[in-house]
Amino acid sequence: MMQPSEQTSFSNTNVLAADLSSQSYVEDGNIFVGAAKHEKTLTFIKYALLLDAIDEGWLYEQQGWMFNQLQRYREALEAFERARHLGYANDGWLYKQKSYALTRLDRGEEALEACERARSLGYVNEE
């Protein structure tokens, strides 16, 4: 599974400026996509869930990550919980993202537990 930094950074690909929305920006040589693109991604995830086209657990995991990007942390936690119940309970990346949302909601003890779970599952933070 790709890490979040790999999913939002296009530094290793040939991306034309015309292909990016005006809400994109460059930082340290990486091109990052703005909130409008994250909202669009959430719409695609919503429809994919309705179609039963892709692994639901993975879609909820991605939905949670998009909610984190949009600072919608409570919704992120709900999506991560759904992903967990759909077979992603042993995914370290999910717990790292859950830890991030919990931290932002000032739920430090729960965030620490989620971070420890991520580490116990072999997730290594690239930052």
Side-chain angles (χ1 to χ4, degrees):
M1 181 178 302
M2 291 175 46
Q3 299 299 319
S5 60
E6 294 170 344
Q7 293 173 336
T8 56
S9 173
F10 298 105
S11 62
N12 296 327
T13 61
N14 295 322
V15 178
L16 299 175
D19 293 336
L20 301 172
S21 74
S22 61
Q23 297 207 2
S24 301
Y25 62 95
V26 177
E27 181 180 297
D28 297 328
N30 292 315
I31 300 171
F32 294 89
V33 180
K37 293 289 186 179
H38 293 309
E39 290 288 352
K40 190 173 186 179
T41 300
L42 282 173
T43 301
F44 287 130
I45 290 170
K46 176 183 166 183
Y47 287 115
L49 285 166
L50 292 172
L51 294 172
D52 249 358
I54 301 175
D55 174 19
E56 283 187 26
W58 181 82
L59 286 170
Y60 281 116
E61 188 177 55
Q62 298 309 304
Q63 183 183 56
W65 181 64
M66 284 295 111
F67 283 137
N68 266 353
Q69 298 302 304
L70 293 166
Q71 300 176 3
R72 294 164 56 181
Y73 306 116
R74 285 181 179 81
E75 291 168 285
L77 291 175
E78 290 173 15
F80 293 136
E81 191 61 22
R82 286 182 175 176
R84 194 177 69 78
H85 286 290
L86 290 168
Y88 282 73
N90 292 318
D91 186 340
W93 184 80
L94 180 144
Y95 286 96
K96 182 61 178 172
Q97 291 299 311
K98 183 177 179 180
S99 174
Y100 177 81
L102 289 165
T103 298
R104 296 304 206 175
L105 292 170
D106 292 323
R107 293 166 56 182
E109 192 170 316
E110 291 172 90
L112 182 58
E113 288 173 13
C115 190
E116 288 173 359
R117 176 79 172 139
R119 271 193 231 130
S120 73
L121 292 168
Y123 180 82
V124 178
N125 194 357
E126 296 177 351
E127 297 173 8

